[in-house]
PDB file of all heavy atoms in Angstrom:
ATOM      1  N   TYR A1499     102.680  88.288  52.127  1.00 95.00           N
ATOM      2  CA  TYR A1499     103.794  88.474  53.124  1.00 95.00           C
ATOM      3  C   TYR A1499     103.847  87.173  54.190  1.00 95.00           C
ATOM      4  O   TYR A1499     104.844  86.848  54.428  1.00 95.00           O
ATOM      5  CB  TYR A1499     103.672  89.758  53.832  1.00 95.00           C
ATOM      6  CG  TYR A1499     103.694  91.039  53.032  1.00 95.00           C
ATOM      7  CD1 TYR A1499     102.828  92.145  53.106  1.00 95.00           C
ATOM      8  CD2 TYR A1499     104.549  90.999  51.872  1.00 95.00           C
ATOM      9  CE1 TYR A1499     102.902  93.182  52.340  1.00 95.00           C
ATOM     10  CE2 TYR A1499     104.568  92.126  51.030  1.00 95.00           C
ATOM     11  CZ  TYR A1499     103.690  93.305  51.314  1.00 95.00           C
ATOM     12  OH  TYR A1499     103.758  94.302  50.496  1.00 95.00           O
ATOM     13  N   THR A1500     102.634  86.848  54.433  1.00 95.00           N
ATOM     14  CA  THR A1500     102.544  85.731  55.384  1.00 95.00           C
ATOM     15  C   THR A1500     103.073  84.475  54.762  1.00 95.00           C
ATOM     16  O   THR A1500     103.805  83.631  55.465  1.00 95.00           O
ATOM     17  CB  THR A1500     100.968  85.454  55.841  1.00 95.00           C
ATOM     18  OG1 THR A1500     100.502  86.648  56.471  1.00 95.00           O
ATOM     19  CG2 THR A1500     100.913  84.320  56.737  1.00 95.00           C
ATOM     20  N   ALA A1501     102.831  84.286  53.533  1.00 94.00           N
ATOM     21  CA  ALA A1501     103.446  83.121  52.737  1.00 94.00           C
ATOM     22  C   ALA A1501     104.970  83.016  52.824  1.00 94.00           C
ATOM     23  O   ALA A1501     105.592  82.027  52.638  1.00 94.00           O
ATOM     24  CB  ALA A1501     102.824  83.058  51.375  1.00 94.00           C
ATOM     25  N   PHE A1502     105.504  84.245  52.936  1.00 95.00           N
ATOM     26  CA  PHE A1502     106.949  84.422  52.930  1.00 95.00           C
ATOM     27  C   PHE A1502     107.506  84.468  54.319  1.00 95.00           C
ATOM     28  O   PHE A1502     108.721  84.884  54.534  1.00 95.00           O
ATOM     29  CB  PHE A1502     107.382  85.543  52.041  1.00 95.00           C
ATOM     30  CG  PHE A1502     107.462  85.207  50.670  1.00 95.00           C
ATOM     31  CD1 PHE A1502     106.409  85.527  49.841  1.00 95.00           C
ATOM     32  CD2 PHE A1502     108.732  84.677  50.098  1.00 95.00           C
ATOM     33  CE1 PHE A1502     106.472  85.254  48.378  1.00 95.00           C
ATOM     34  CE2 PHE A1502     108.614  84.371  48.631  1.00 95.00           C
ATOM     35  CZ  PHE A1502     107.682  84.716  47.782  1.00 95.00           C
ATOM     36  N   GLY A1503     106.775  84.143  55.305  1.00 94.00           N
ATOM     37  CA  GLY A1503     107.258  84.145  56.716  1.00 94.00           C
ATOM     38  C   GLY A1503     107.236  85.367  57.488  1.00 94.00           C
ATOM     39  O   GLY A1503     107.683  85.391  58.511  1.00 94.00           O
ATOM     40  N   PHE A1504     106.465  86.305  57.013  1.00 95.00           N
ATOM     41  CA  PHE A1504     106.207  87.478  57.819  1.00 95.00           C
ATOM     42  C   PHE A1504     105.133  87.350  58.896  1.00 95.00           C
ATOM     43  O   PHE A1504     104.129  86.628  58.556  1.00 95.00           O
ATOM     44  CB  PHE A1504     105.769  88.659  56.874  1.00 95.00           C
ATOM     45  CG  PHE A1504     106.981  89.224  56.159  1.00 95.00           C
ATOM     46  CD1 PHE A1504     107.367  88.741  54.910  1.00 95.00           C
ATOM     47  CD2 PHE A1504     107.684  90.345  56.585  1.00 95.00           C
ATOM     48  CE1 PHE A1504     108.391  89.287  54.072  1.00 95.00           C
ATOM     49  CE2 PHE A1504     108.728  90.912  55.799  1.00 95.00           C
ATOM     50  CZ  PHE A1504     109.070  90.422  54.686  1.00 95.00           C
ATOM     51  N   LYS A1505     105.365  87.905  60.015  1.00 95.00           N
ATOM     52  CA  LYS A1505     104.345  87.769  61.093  1.00 95.00           C
ATOM     53  C   LYS A1505     103.931  89.156  61.493  1.00 95.00           C
ATOM     54  O   LYS A1505     104.840  90.075  61.596  1.00 95.00           O
ATOM     55  CB  LYS A1505     104.936  86.915  62.260  1.00 95.00           C
ATOM     56  CG  LYS A1505     105.160  85.512  61.770  1.00 95.00           C
ATOM     57  CD  LYS A1505     105.738  84.722  62.968  1.00 95.00           C
ATOM     58  CE  LYS A1505     106.073  83.223  62.532  1.00 95.00           C
ATOM     59  NZ  LYS A1505     106.663  82.366  63.671  1.00 95.00           N
ATOM     60  N   GLU A1506     102.796  89.343  62.030  1.00 94.00           N
ATOM     61  CA  GLU A1506     102.361  90.568  62.572  1.00 94.00           C
ATOM     62  C   GLU A1506     103.177  90.852  63.846  1.00 94.00           C
ATOM     63  O   GLU A1506     103.303  90.123  64.843  1.00 94.00           O
ATOM     64  CB  GLU A1506     100.834  90.662  62.789  1.00 94.00           C
ATOM     65  CG  GLU A1506     100.346  92.021  63.323  1.00 94.00           C
ATOM     66  CD  GLU A1506      98.827  91.974  63.429  1.00 94.00           C
ATOM     67  OE1 GLU A1506      98.204  91.244  62.627  1.00 94.00           O
ATOM     68  OE2 GLU A1506      98.292  92.794  64.270  1.00 94.00           O
ATOM     69  N   LEU A1507     103.612  92.122  63.916  1.00 93.00           N
ATOM     70  CA  LEU A1507     104.390  92.552  64.955  1.00 93.00           C
ATOM     71  C   LEU A1507     103.697  93.657  65.848  1.00 93.00           C
ATOM     72  O   LEU A1507     103.845  93.716  67.038  1.00 93.00           O
ATOM     73  CB  LEU A1507     105.785  93.119  64.491  1.00 93.00           C
ATOM     74  CG  LEU A1507     106.809  93.459  65.552  1.00 93.00           C
ATOM     75  CD1 LEU A1507     107.347  92.193  66.188  1.00 93.00           C
ATOM     76  CD2 LEU A1507     108.018  94.204  64.883  1.00 93.00           C
ATOM     77  N   ASP A1508     102.890  94.423  65.074  1.00 94.00           N
ATOM     78  CA  ASP A1508     102.227  95.659  65.784  1.00 94.00           C
ATOM     79  C   ASP A1508     101.211  96.052  64.895  1.00 94.00           C
ATOM     80  O   ASP A1508     101.118  95.807  63.661  1.00 94.00           O
ATOM     81  CB  ASP A1508     103.224  96.636  66.103  1.00 94.00           C
ATOM     82  CG  ASP A1508     102.714  97.731  67.058  1.00 94.00           C
ATOM     83  OD1 ASP A1508     101.647  97.469  67.588  1.00 94.00           O
ATOM     84  OD2 ASP A1508     103.343  98.805  67.135  1.00 94.00           O
ATOM     85  N   ARG A1509     100.403  97.042  65.438  1.00 93.00           N
ATOM     86  CA  ARG A1509      99.216  97.749  64.670  1.00 93.00           C
ATOM     87  C   ARG A1509      99.364  99.195  64.941  1.00 93.00           C
ATOM     88  O   ARG A1509      99.463  99.586  66.143  1.00 93.00           O
ATOM     89  CB  ARG A1509      97.944  97.162  64.874  1.00 93.00           C
ATOM     90  CG  ARG A1509      97.727  95.836  64.096  1.00 93.00           C
ATOM     91  CD  ARG A1509      96.123  95.546  64.065  1.00 93.00           C
ATOM     92  NE  ARG A1509      95.965  94.347  63.298  1.00 93.00           N
ATOM     93  CZ  ARG A1509      95.160  94.183  62.327  1.00 93.00           C
ATOM     94  NH1 ARG A1509      94.281  95.213  61.913  1.00 93.00           N
ATOM     95  NH2 ARG A1509      94.910  93.050  61.621  1.00 93.00           N
ATOM     96  N   ARG A1510      99.250 100.015  63.862  1.00 93.00           N
ATOM     97  CA  ARG A1510      99.271 101.520  64.111  1.00 93.00           C
ATOM     98  C   ARG A1510      97.890 102.101  63.746  1.00 93.00           C
ATOM     99  O   ARG A1510      97.450 101.932  62.477  1.00 93.00           O
ATOM    100  CB  ARG A1510     100.334 102.165  63.309  1.00 93.00           C
ATOM    101  CG  ARG A1510     101.761 101.751  63.784  1.00 93.00           C
ATOM    102  CD  ARG A1510     102.878 102.218  62.966  1.00 93.00           C
ATOM    103  NE  ARG A1510     104.161 101.807  63.382  1.00 93.00           N
ATOM    104  CZ  ARG A1510     105.296 102.078  62.834  1.00 93.00           C
ATOM    105  NH1 ARG A1510     105.230 102.711  61.638  1.00 93.00           N
ATOM    106  NH2 ARG A1510     106.469 101.665  63.243  1.00 93.00           N
ATOM    107  N   LYS A1511      97.223 102.514  64.767  1.00 93.00           N
ATOM    108  CA  LYS A1511      95.718 102.910  64.493  1.00 93.00           C
ATOM    109  C   LYS A1511      95.681 104.065  63.538  1.00 93.00           C
ATOM    110  O   LYS A1511      96.420 105.029  63.761  1.00 93.00           O
ATOM    111  CB  LYS A1511      95.105 103.294  65.812  1.00 93.00           C
ATOM    112  CG  LYS A1511      94.915 102.173  66.788  1.00 93.00           C
ATOM    113  CD  LYS A1511      93.969 101.089  66.245  1.00 93.00           C
ATOM    114  CE  LYS A1511      92.506 101.711  66.143  1.00 93.00           C
ATOM    115  NZ  LYS A1511      91.550 100.719  65.759  1.00 93.00           N
ATOM    116  N   ASN A1512      94.844 104.052  62.471  1.00 91.00           N
ATOM    117  CA  ASN A1512      94.554 105.140  61.561  1.00 91.00           C
ATOM    118  C   ASN A1512      95.893 105.693  60.965  1.00 91.00           C
ATOM    119  O   ASN A1512      95.959 106.976  60.781  1.00 91.00           O
ATOM    120  CB  ASN A1512      93.748 106.156  62.198  1.00 91.00           C
ATOM    121  CG  ASN A1512      92.314 105.731  62.671  1.00 91.00           C
ATOM    122  OD1 ASN A1512      91.670 104.897  61.914  1.00 91.00           O
ATOM    123  ND2 ASN A1512      91.885 106.159  63.818  1.00 91.00           N
ATOM    124  N   TYR A1513      96.813 104.877  60.626  1.00 91.00           N
ATOM    125  CA  TYR A1513      98.087 105.314  60.123  1.00 91.00           C
ATOM    126  C   TYR A1513      97.890 105.780  58.788  1.00 91.00           C
ATOM    127  O   TYR A1513      98.532 106.719  58.308  1.00 91.00           O
ATOM    128  CB  TYR A1513      99.047 104.152  60.194  1.00 91.00           C
ATOM    129  CG  TYR A1513     100.387 104.556  59.756  1.00 91.00           C
ATOM    130  CD1 TYR A1513     101.302 105.081  60.496  1.00 91.00           C
ATOM    131  CD2 TYR A1513     100.788 104.116  58.389  1.00 91.00           C
ATOM    132  CE1 TYR A1513     102.590 105.425  60.015  1.00 91.00           C
ATOM    133  CE2 TYR A1513     102.057 104.397  57.872  1.00 91.00           C
ATOM    134  CZ  TYR A1513     103.009 105.094  58.741  1.00 91.00           C
ATOM    135  OH  TYR A1513     104.273 105.420  58.237  1.00 91.00           O
ATOM    136  N   TYR A1514      97.016 105.170  57.980  1.00 89.00           N
ATOM    137  CA  TYR A1514      96.942 105.562  56.607  1.00 89.00           C
ATOM    138  C   TYR A1514      95.717 106.562  56.372  1.00 89.00           C
ATOM    139  O   TYR A1514      94.859 106.522  57.255  1.00 89.00           O
ATOM    140  CB  TYR A1514      96.659 104.296  55.736  1.00 89.00           C
ATOM    141  CG  TYR A1514      97.908 103.391  55.470  1.00 89.00           C
ATOM    142  CD1 TYR A1514      97.892 102.121  56.245  1.00 89.00           C
ATOM    143  CD2 TYR A1514      99.014 103.723  54.704  1.00 89.00           C
ATOM    144  CE1 TYR A1514      99.063 101.352  56.040  1.00 89.00           C
ATOM    145  CE2 TYR A1514     100.049 102.988  54.494  1.00 89.00           C
ATOM    146  CZ  TYR A1514     100.141 101.714  55.280  1.00 89.00           C
ATOM    147  OH  TYR A1514     101.229 100.955  55.089  1.00 89.00           O
ATOM    148  N   ARG A1515      95.779 107.283  55.353  1.00 86.00           N
ATOM    149  CA  ARG A1515      94.697 108.302  55.034  1.00 86.00           C
ATOM    150  C   ARG A1515      94.163 107.938  53.587  1.00 86.00           C
ATOM    151  O   ARG A1515      94.910 107.390  52.834  1.00 86.00           O
ATOM    152  CB  ARG A1515      95.225 109.718  55.153  1.00 86.00           C
ATOM    153  CG  ARG A1515      95.722 110.194  56.506  1.00 86.00           C
ATOM    154  CD  ARG A1515      94.541 110.378  57.401  1.00 86.00           C
ATOM    155  NE  ARG A1515      94.825 110.664  58.733  1.00 86.00           N
ATOM    156  CZ  ARG A1515      94.989 109.892  59.726  1.00 86.00           C
ATOM    157  NH1 ARG A1515      94.852 108.690  59.512  1.00 86.00           N
ATOM    158  NH2 ARG A1515      95.338 110.386  60.985  1.00 86.00           N
ATOM    159  N   ASN A1516      93.096 108.414  53.449  1.00 84.00           N
ATOM    160  CA  ASN A1516      92.360 108.383  52.075  1.00 84.00           C
ATOM    161  C   ASN A1516      92.358 106.935  51.552  1.00 84.00           C
ATOM    162  O   ASN A1516      92.936 106.635  50.544  1.00 84.00           O
ATOM    163  CB  ASN A1516      93.115 109.193  51.010  1.00 84.00           C
ATOM    164  CG  ASN A1516      93.148 110.680  51.460  1.00 84.00           C
ATOM    165  OD1 ASN A1516      92.040 111.163  51.903  1.00 84.00           O
ATOM    166  ND2 ASN A1516      94.158 111.360  51.199  1.00 84.00           N
ATOM    167  N   PRO A1517      91.598 105.906  52.168  1.00 87.00           N
ATOM    168  CA  PRO A1517      90.742 106.169  53.318  1.00 87.00           C
ATOM    169  C   PRO A1517      91.624 105.822  54.663  1.00 87.00           C
ATOM    170  O   PRO A1517      92.689 105.243  54.643  1.00 87.00           O
ATOM    171  CB  PRO A1517      89.744 105.093  53.216  1.00 87.00           C
ATOM    172  CG  PRO A1517      90.507 103.851  52.580  1.00 87.00           C
ATOM    173  CD  PRO A1517      91.438 104.612  51.557  1.00 87.00           C
ATOM    174  N   ASP A1518      91.099 106.348  55.670  1.00 91.00           N
ATOM    175  CA  ASP A1518      91.693 106.041  57.100  1.00 91.00           C
ATOM    176  C   ASP A1518      91.731 104.588  57.311  1.00 91.00           C
ATOM    177  O   ASP A1518      90.706 103.742  57.071  1.00 91.00           O
ATOM    178  CB  ASP A1518      90.970 106.711  58.224  1.00 91.00           C
ATOM    179  CG  ASP A1518      91.120 108.247  58.094  1.00 91.00           C
ATOM    180  OD1 ASP A1518      91.788 108.796  57.244  1.00 91.00           O
ATOM    181  OD2 ASP A1518      90.309 108.962  58.850  1.00 91.00           O
ATOM    182  N   GLU A1519      92.866 104.065  57.747  1.00 93.00           N
ATOM    183  CA  GLU A1519      93.003 102.609  57.849  1.00 93.00           C
ATOM    184  C   GLU A1519      94.259 102.319  58.820  1.00 93.00           C
ATOM    185  O   GLU A1519      95.264 103.051  58.765  1.00 93.00           O
ATOM    186  CB  GLU A1519      93.162 102.001  56.566  1.00 93.00           C
ATOM    187  CG  GLU A1519      92.928 100.475  56.619  1.00 93.00           C
ATOM    188  CD  GLU A1519      92.842  99.808  55.149  1.00 93.00           C
ATOM    189  OE1 GLU A1519      93.027 100.567  54.235  1.00 93.00           O
ATOM    190  OE2 GLU A1519      92.513  98.624  55.135  1.00 93.00           O
ATOM    191  N   ASP A1520      94.085 101.195  59.581  1.00 94.00           N
ATOM    192  CA  ASP A1520      95.229 100.878  60.347  1.00 94.00           C
ATOM    193  C   ASP A1520      96.356 100.329  59.523  1.00 94.00           C
ATOM    194  O   ASP A1520      96.193  99.751  58.506  1.00 94.00           O
ATOM    195  CB  ASP A1520      94.841  99.653  61.392  1.00 94.00           C
ATOM    196  CG  ASP A1520      93.829 100.138  62.430  1.00 94.00           C
ATOM    197  OD1 ASP A1520      93.614 101.417  62.485  1.00 94.00           O
ATOM    198  OD2 ASP A1520      93.330  99.322  63.137  1.00 94.00           O
ATOM    199  N   ALA A1521      97.558 100.454  60.015  1.00 94.00           N
ATOM    200  CA  ALA A1521      98.801  99.844  59.410  1.00 94.00           C
ATOM    201  C   ALA A1521      99.197  98.673  60.248  1.00 94.00           C
ATOM    202  O   ALA A1521      99.166  98.712  61.430  1.00 94.00           O
ATOM    203  CB  ALA A1521      99.929 100.792  59.510  1.00 94.00           C
ATOM    204  N   VAL A1522      99.398  97.510  59.603  1.00 95.00           N
ATOM    205  CA  VAL A1522      99.898  96.317  60.292  1.00 95.00           C
ATOM    206  C   VAL A1522     101.417  96.214  59.968  1.00 95.00           C
ATOM    207  O   VAL A1522     101.933  96.336  58.865  1.00 95.00           O
ATOM    208  CB  VAL A1522      99.275  95.035  59.617  1.00 95.00           C
ATOM    209  CG1 VAL A1522      99.747  93.741  60.179  1.00 95.00           C
ATOM    210  CG2 VAL A1522      97.684  95.046  59.702  1.00 95.00           C
ATOM    211  N   VAL A1523     102.131  96.274  61.104  1.00 96.00           N
ATOM    212  CA  VAL A1523     103.522  96.194  61.029  1.00 96.00           C
ATOM    213  C   VAL A1523     103.971  94.659  61.131  1.00 96.00           C
ATOM    214  O   VAL A1523     103.533  93.979  61.870  1.00 96.00           O
ATOM    215  CB  VAL A1523     104.187  96.886  62.188  1.00 96.00           C
ATOM    216  CG1 VAL A1523     105.757  96.817  62.100  1.00 96.00           C
ATOM    217  CG2 VAL A1523     103.803  98.325  62.244  1.00 96.00           C
ATOM    218  N   MET A1524     104.717  94.184  60.101  1.00 95.00           N
ATOM    219  CA  MET A1524     105.063  92.813  59.912  1.00 95.00           C
ATOM    220  C   MET A1524     106.604  92.723  59.893  1.00 95.00           C
ATOM    221  O   MET A1524     107.366  93.661  59.502  1.00 95.00           O
ATOM    222  CB  MET A1524     104.469  92.196  58.723  1.00 95.00           C
ATOM    223  CG  MET A1524     102.985  92.363  58.626  1.00 95.00           C
ATOM    224  SD  MET A1524     102.179  91.426  57.254  1.00 95.00           S
ATOM    225  CE  MET A1524     102.251  89.840  57.929  1.00 95.00           C
ATOM    226  N   GLN A1525     107.081  91.581  60.374  1.00 95.00           N
ATOM    227  CA  GLN A1525     108.471  91.266  60.406  1.00 95.00           C
ATOM    228  C   GLN A1525     108.853  89.854  59.891  1.00 95.00           C
ATOM    229  O   GLN A1525     107.986  88.951  60.228  1.00 95.00           O
ATOM    230  CB  GLN A1525     109.077  91.497  61.789  1.00 95.00           C
ATOM    231  CG  GLN A1525     110.546  91.166  61.996  1.00 95.00           C
ATOM    232  CD  GLN A1525     111.087  91.091  63.377  1.00 95.00           C
ATOM    233  OE1 GLN A1525     110.333  90.919  64.244  1.00 95.00           O
ATOM    234  NE2 GLN A1525     112.401  91.280  63.514  1.00 95.00           N
ATOM    235  N   ARG A1526     109.826  89.687  59.033  1.00 93.00           N
ATOM    236  CA  ARG A1526     110.337  88.436  58.752  1.00 93.00           C
ATOM    237  C   ARG A1526     111.863  88.358  59.316  1.00 93.00           C
ATOM    238  O   ARG A1526     112.614  89.130  58.956  1.00 93.00           O
ATOM    239  CB  ARG A1526     110.363  88.315  57.279  1.00 93.00           C
ATOM    240  CG  ARG A1526     110.832  86.795  56.754  1.00 93.00           C
ATOM    241  CD  ARG A1526     110.983  86.781  55.296  1.00 93.00           C
ATOM    242  NE  ARG A1526     111.375  85.375  54.743  1.00 93.00           N
ATOM    243  CZ  ARG A1526     112.451  84.753  54.777  1.00 93.00           C
ATOM    244  NH1 ARG A1526     113.536  85.437  55.215  1.00 93.00           N
ATOM    245  NH2 ARG A1526     112.559  83.519  54.350  1.00 93.00           N
ATOM    246  N   GLN A1527     112.006  87.413  60.179  1.00 84.00           N
ATOM    247  CA  GLN A1527     113.254  87.258  60.825  1.00 84.00           C
ATOM    248  C   GLN A1527     114.120  86.328  60.048  1.00 84.00           C
ATOM    249  O   GLN A1527     113.718  85.336  59.191  1.00 84.00           O
ATOM    250  CB  GLN A1527     113.212  86.584  62.178  1.00 84.00           C
ATOM    251  CG  GLN A1527     112.430  87.496  63.213  1.00 84.00           C
ATOM    252  CD  GLN A1527     112.301  86.782  64.563  1.00 84.00           C
ATOM    253  OE1 GLN A1527     112.092  85.663  64.656  1.00 84.00           O
ATOM    254  NE2 GLN A1527     112.525  87.570  65.696  1.00 84.00           N
ATOM    255  N   ASN A1528     115.528  86.499  60.059  1.00 69.00           N
ATOM    256  CA  ASN A1528     116.300  85.676  59.323  1.00 69.00           C
ATOM    257  C   ASN A1528     116.440  84.298  59.990  1.00 69.00           C
ATOM    258  O   ASN A1528     116.045  84.179  61.095  1.00 69.00           O
ATOM    259  CB  ASN A1528     117.806  86.335  59.156  1.00 69.00           C
ATOM    260  CG  ASN A1528     118.537  86.572  60.454  1.00 69.00           C
ATOM    261  OD1 ASN A1528     118.248  85.818  61.311  1.00 69.00           O
ATOM    262  ND2 ASN A1528     119.486  87.442  60.387  1.00 69.00           N
TER     263      ASN A1528
END
């Protein structure tokens, strides 16, 4: 995603389960 111009916008703590893990929110602007 980074190679295609996405940048980290936010993090969501323990968003995922099995296993518990943060979600990285990324955005690619036009």
Side-chain angles (χ1 to χ4, degrees):
Y1499 301 143
T1500 300
F1502 278 92
F1504 284 84
K1505 296 180 180 179
E1506 183 173 332
L1507 189 67
D1508 191 14
R1509 282 194 176 232
R1510 296 177 181 173
K1511 295 293 291 183
N1512 296 322
Y1513 179 80
Y1514 290 107
R1515 296 288 181 265
N1516 299 320
D1518 292 352
E1519 196 168 5
D1520 292 351
V1522 178
V1523 180
M1524 304 186 77
Q1525 178 189 21
R1526 183 185 189 277
Q1527 295 178 320
N1528 64 24

